[in-house]
Amino acid sequence: MNKSDLVAQIAAKSGLTKVDSTKALEALLDSVKEALVSGDKVQLVGFGTFEVRERKAREGRNPRNPEEVIHIPASKAPVFKAGKTLKEAVNK
């Protein structure tokens, strides 16, 4: 399912127009992104949790030249952890 499919699904289930559904989806995505950028965690009970995790700096290997050791800098990564209700629905 891509973004346009999701917008169509939202419009069908909510009775909103596709334009309004697109605005609602964009508002949700922007709100989640802003919260993660500011360091907050977004919890949607029954669905899951979006958060940012720190990755430590580490040493790695260059795939083109396996003998060469490269430094991989520390970074932040957005992660999603599925909630219990979502996990149960997927595993039925």
Side-chain angles (χ1 to χ4, degrees), residues 6-40:
L6 184 57
V7 167
Q9 194 92 355
I10 292 169
K13 290 188 178 209
S14 68
L16 297 172
T17 65
K18 284 189 178 183
V19 172
D20 289 339
S21 297
T22 301
K23 288 179 184 177
L25 179 59
E26 289 293 333
L28 172 71
L29 296 176
D30 286 344
S31 298
V32 170
K33 180 170 52 173
E34 289 170 6
L36 294 177
V37 167
S38 69
D40 294 335

Side-chain angles (χ1 to χ4, degrees), residues 30-69:
D30 286 344
S31 298
V32 170
K33 180 170 52 173
E34 289 170 6
L36 294 177
V37 167
S38 69
D40 294 335
K41 179 166 52 169
V42 179
Q43 272 186 301
L44 303 172
V45 176
F47 185 73
T49 304
F50 297 91
E51 63 184 333
V52 176
R53 290 196 185 143
E54 301 280 336
R55 288 186 175 167
K56 295 179 183 176
R58 62 191 190 281
E59 299 293 319
R61 297 279 178 184
N62 182 346
R64 292 187 182 172
N65 182 2
E67 292 82 33
E68 182 183 349
V69 176

